[in-house]
Amino acid sequence: VRPAVSVDAGSVDQSDPVSMVFRKLPGVSASGMGLRLSQKFVFLLFLSGLVTLCFGALFFLPDSVRLKRIFLDRKPVVSREATEERLAGGKALEDLSLSRSRAESVSERATVVDHHGADTDTFSYAKFKRCLLKPPLGRDYGKPSDPNTNERREKVKEMMKFAWDNYKLYAWGKNELRPLTRNGHLGNMFGGLKGASIIDSLDTLYIMGLMDEYNDAKEWVQTSLDLNSNGEASLFEVNIRYVGGLLSAYYLTGEEVFKSKVLELGEKLLPAFNTPTGIPRGVINLGSGTSWSWGWASAGSSILAEFGTLHLEFVHLSELSANPIYTEKVMNIRKLLNKIEKPHGLYPNFLSPVSGNWVQHHVSIGGLGDSFYEYLIKSFLMSDKTDGDAKKMYYSALEAIEANLVQKSPGGLTYMAEWRGGILDHKMGHLACFSGGMIGIGADDGVPEKRQHYLDLAAEITHTCHESYTRSATKLGPEAFRFDGGGEATATRLSDRYYILRPEVIESYMYMWRLTHDPKYREWGWEAVEALEQHCRVEAGFSGIRDVYTTTASHDNMQQSFFLSETLKYLYLLFSDDDLLPLEDWVFNTEAHPLPIIRKSCLQDEKQHEM
Ligand code: DMJ
């Protein structure tokens, strides 16, 4: 036995890790432990075995995804968030502080500058215009040569002017017009942002050639669009209406004010992505950057149609800012969705932004799911058909939808049912009627043997949605219609009978017209114009109605901003020549704001020419 002696640095073998460990323990002398070399070796072996075991266990524990994230990803700490989520009953407070998100976004910007250095590729509008295949407004603003069609188009333009004039007169600067009470509505969807109807109308006014009105709208954006609000906004709604509206106003006009506003706004949305998985929450405070899940969404989950409907706008934010952060955020969502297991290949509507797992097995092509599928095929098209992942995900999702949700009624109508953990609910929402157009625009890029089949399916769905209109007294369609309880394509519940000026059915008419030039789609569109005029036009604007099955109108006193942005725009395009916003150059976001196809190779060639 050797006597215990205290050691100093000089007496410890610096290359011997065991001695080093003991030396770190206060009052313990390495040599005093009296370990021989072989014992030290065994001890070291034991220690490293223990460490390997603990580390390996992370991968087998039941909640290993979460643990892996804590230890490996260095993502935000979960425990505080989880606690707060429990305390707030699903309204989980964002785990990162404002200062963190601000710092992050500053450093992210700095990275861009570093990456690009003096060579920062600022967006050139002229270059972008040269890469379009056709002029955006066609030869003559898409004016149809047939006088009857032109008359119909003029009627739609008059409707837009009427809706706009009344908004301007009674609700200027507010989000929507209340046409019965002749005042404005702000609501709580946009976090204190105002002028939703103005932003949503910019491109519609511009393509219709309503230039005085467009100029008023532009001036309002210049002087009054205040992005420094401090309220709670729906990330999805702000993105599709404000980001989408400003982006397309910029791409159509080249006015710098739209670009600078949209980049300012885009940056305010980034903190919503600061979650353990990077899946954003539904609600964000635009001032503080704090974000929440919707109180009604089960277990603090995020909604598929919300976090899955950011891709087009965010890719364009990166284009305009030369900052890859926006694309990275949406690519991260894409990656996670691609990776996780999908029941029967389907994407459920609720996903936890904390664990990255599905929360409920409810699948719908209507509300809560809809535009996620739309953005897959449109991401592919907008990438000039280079985004192979989006393409793959879209066609496999469509296959799963066909296998599990597409149904034929006894009366021969094709419809999309909803799916609840394997059980079908034979109901189709008005929102799901966009799918006729979506399947139509995706038909051509499917496998050759299925192209005609997809086009037929698109036509059948559009036909069913038209039936939901023709089977009502007003010739407008209900919010949801069913295929059980004896009825077909009709609402059986009182609460499903309303129509709030929604665009989806007309949207599908427009795409199907462009794809087939079957005159029935223009006829169906005209039926809708007549019905809108008869049942929704009131003295001071257009209003939704409470029951499409009665002609004694009960108006809901709301002129939705999407009526100006989508319903009237799609009607106008339906009666225009195809060279107005040609589909070879533009994709429409889910609020009908046109965004240009990004032709990377052309933009790069253009750059070389300039050098
Ligand atoms: C619009 O805001 C968008 O079309 C969205 O995708 C769904 N809901 C409305 C119109 O119905």
Side-chain angles (χ1 to χ4, degrees):
V1 179
R2 278 188 272 163
V5 288
S6 64
V7 286
D8 58 29
S11 63
V12 176
D13 179 359
Q14 297 285 328
S15 63
D16 176 357
V18 177
S19 302
M20 290 295 288
V21 168
F22 286 126
R23 189 177 162 260
K24 292 257 181 312
L25 300 175
V28 176
S29 138
S31 58
M33 294 293 288
L35 296 178
R36 270 187 272 131
L37 197 63
S38 57
Q39 287 171 318
K40 285 179 189 174
F41 178 72
V42 171
F43 180 76
L44 200 63
L45 210 64
F46 171 74
L47 207 65
S48 62
L50 196 70
V51 170
T52 317
L53 200 73
C54 293
F55 198 71
L58 286 176
F59 292 84
F60 296 102
L61 287 172
D63 203 0
S64 61
V65 180
R66 188 180 254 197
L67 288 166
K68 267 186 251 171
R69 198 165 292 123
I70 298 170
F71 288 100
L72 304 177
D73 284 2
R74 299 199 314 277
K75 285 258 170 78
V77 180
V78 182
S79 56
R80 186 186 142 204
E81 173 158 351
T83 317
E84 280 162 348
E85 199 159 23
R86 270 201 311 278
L87 290 175
K91 203 181 184 216
L93 211 68
E94 184 46 59
D95 55 329
L96 289 184
S97 67
L98 168 66
S99 57
R100 160 116 195 239
S101 26
R102 287 228 171 106
E104 227 172 51
S105 111
V106 168
S107 80
E108 279 157 357
R109 247 176 317 167
T111 319
V112 174
V113 174
D114 285 344
H115 283 161
H116 294 90
D119 195 26
T120 298
D121 183 13
T122 49
F123 184 83
S124 155
Y125 188 74
K127 207 193 300 174
F128 145 72
K129 281 296 270 276
R130 286 197 294 272
C131 287
L132 291 175
L133 301 178
K134 297 182 171 171
L137 301 183
R139 272 164 290 117
D140 187 15
Y141 288 84
K143 186 174 175 191
S145 48
D146 164 39
N148 182 41
T149 310
N150 192 42
E151 210 175 289
R152 291 178 169 188
R153 191 172 93 131
E154 285 302 307
K155 176 68 208 167
V156 176
K157 184 171 167 179
E158 183 278 327
M159 291 164 80
M160 178 69 189
K161 186 162 163 42
F162 179 71
W164 173 263
D165 286 347
N166 280 292
Y167 166 77
K168 193 176 166 202
L169 191 59
Y170 299 115
W172 189 241
K174 299 282 186 339
N175 285 325
E176 288 105 359
L177 164 70
R178 287 193 173 280
L180 300 186
T181 44
R182 301 183 186 217
N183 58 348
H185 172 253
L186 275 176
N188 51 12
M189 255 181 350
F190 307 118
L193 293 180
K194 295 188 181 143
S197 289
I198 300 178
I199 307 297
D200 253 357
S201 296
L202 281 161
D203 50 15
T204 312
L205 294 169
Y206 188 77
I207 65 161
M208 289 184 177
L210 289 166
M211 294 315 282
D212 290 345
E213 292 76 3
Y214 160 76
N215 282 323
D216 288 345
K218 183 179 86 182
E219 197 191 315
W220 184 88
V221 174
Q222 273 161 342
T223 58
S224 311
L225 176 57
D226 181 8
L227 300 175
N228 291 317
S229 67
N230 204 27
E232 292 166 15
S234 154
L235 171 67
F236 164 77
E237 296 290 356
V238 168
N239 178 58
I240 67 169
R241 302 192 200 209
Y242 283 82
V243 177
L246 290 166
L247 281 172
S248 57
Y250 174 67
Y251 281 117
L252 286 173
T253 67
E255 294 283 357
E256 282 299 312
V257 61
F258 300 132
K259 181 174 147 191
S260 61
K261 286 287 182 189
V262 80
L263 293 183
E264 190 185 337
L265 179 57
E267 200 170 324
K268 286 178 186 291
L269 302 181
L270 285 174
F273 294 81
N274 293 335
T275 65
T277 55
I279 297 286
R281 298 188 186 286
V283 190
I284 177 168
N285 182 305
L286 295 174
S288 66
T290 308
S291 70
W292 294 266
S293 298
W294 292 107
W296 48 265
S298 60
S301 55
S302 297
I303 313 298
L304 180 69
E306 295 198 331
F307 63 78
T309 309
L310 302 166
H311 203 101
L312 305 180
E313 297 81 1
F314 273 55
V315 165
H316 271 294
L317 285 173
S318 278
E319 277 297 301
L320 292 188
S321 64
N323 186 343
I325 186 72
Y326 301 100
T327 301
E328 282 163 18
K329 298 287 181 199
V330 288
M331 279 303 184
N332 179 52
I333 298 177
R334 162 89 66 79
K335 253 191 260 156
L336 188 141
L337 288 175
N338 210 354
K339 209 173 61 189
I340 56 176
E341 212 173 295
K342 290 162 269 291
H344 299 271
L346 296 165
Y347 291 81
N349 291 338
F350 298 97
L351 185 92
S352 162
V354 176
S355 70
N357 295 322
W358 303 117
V359 172
Q360 262 184 17
H361 281 187
H362 172 214
V363 178
S364 155
I365 308 307
L368 305 177
D370 49 8
S371 39
F372 158 69
Y373 305 96
E374 175 187 351
Y375 271 36
L376 286 179
I377 185 64
K378 289 184 176 175
S379 296
F380 169 65
L381 297 174
M382 200 182 82
S383 71
D384 201 16
K385 306 196 178 179
T386 60
D387 186 348
D389 279 342
K391 180 181 183 185
K392 246 187 23 228
M393 285 169 78
Y394 171 74
Y395 289 103
S396 359
L398 185 56
E399 213 165 286
I401 289 168
E402 279 208 80
N404 295 284
L405 308 185
V406 174
Q407 302 287 304
K408 184 82 107 200
S409 74
L413 296 177
T414 305
Y415 64 98
M416 304 263 194
E418 301 199 356
W419 191 87
R420 294 171 197 278
I423 298 179
L424 285 185
D425 186 3
H426 295 272
K427 152 190 160 193
M428 186 164 170
H430 192 289
L431 288 167
C433 284
F434 84 98
S435 60
M438 173 187 77
I439 296 169
I441 55 169
D444 227 20
D445 294 293
V447 288
E449 61 275 20
K450 283 201 131 181
R451 288 180 190 163
Q452 190 55 47
H453 163 73
Y454 286 142
L455 208 56
D456 294 342
L457 179 60
E460 284 171 32
I461 299 277
T462 308
H463 169 69
T464 300
C465 292
H466 175 246
E467 284 300 302
S468 79
Y469 275 46
T470 56
R471 293 176 189 211
S472 79
T474 56
K475 307 298 167 210
L476 293 165
E479 179 66 6
F481 43 94
R482 306 193 65 92
F483 295 87
D484 51 12
E488 288 203 0
T490 47
T492 48
R493 295 178 191 167
L494 259 173
S495 57
D496 285 339
R497 291 169 159 227
Y498 63 91
Y499 171 69
I500 55 167
L501 306 173
R502 285 198 193 278
E504 291 77 15
V505 176
I506 292 164
E507 173 181 350
S508 285
Y509 297 164
M510 192 282 289
Y511 283 116
M512 293 310 291
W513 163 256
R514 288 252 175 133
L515 295 167
T516 65
H517 289 140
D518 184 333
K520 76 179 176 199
Y521 295 113
R522 278 188 165 165
E523 287 313 312
W524 292 355
W526 186 245
E527 287 168 15
V529 168
E530 290 183 319
L532 284 165
E533 282 288 284
Q534 202 181 333
H535 302 289
C536 300
R537 190 174 182 130
V538 293
E539 263 181 48
F542 285 89
S543 165
I545 55 176
R546 295 210 168 85
D547 187 351
V548 295
Y549 297 104
T550 168
T551 47
T552 342
S554 168
H555 293 108
D556 69 4
N557 195 20
M558 182 67 83
Q559 179 175 284
Q560 303 280 350
S561 81
F562 53 68
F563 180 64
L564 298 101
S565 149
E566 297 192 72
T567 313
L568 292 176
K569 187 189 284 131
Y570 285 134
L571 279 169
Y572 190 76
L573 292 172
L574 178 64
F575 298 118
S576 296
D577 276 358
D578 296 357
D579 66 356
L580 177 59
L581 298 174
L583 297 181
E584 292 94 324
D585 279 324
W586 302 87
V587 296
F588 293 88
N589 89 338
T590 195
E591 189 77 358
H593 295 303
L595 300 173
I597 287 174
I598 299 169
R599 297 211 160 81
K600 278 262 184 286
S601 53
C602 171
L603 291 169
Q604 263 144 26
D605 287 353
E606 278 284 331
K607 195 176 171 195
Q608 267 149 23
H609 279 133
E610 277 178 6
M611 289 190 337

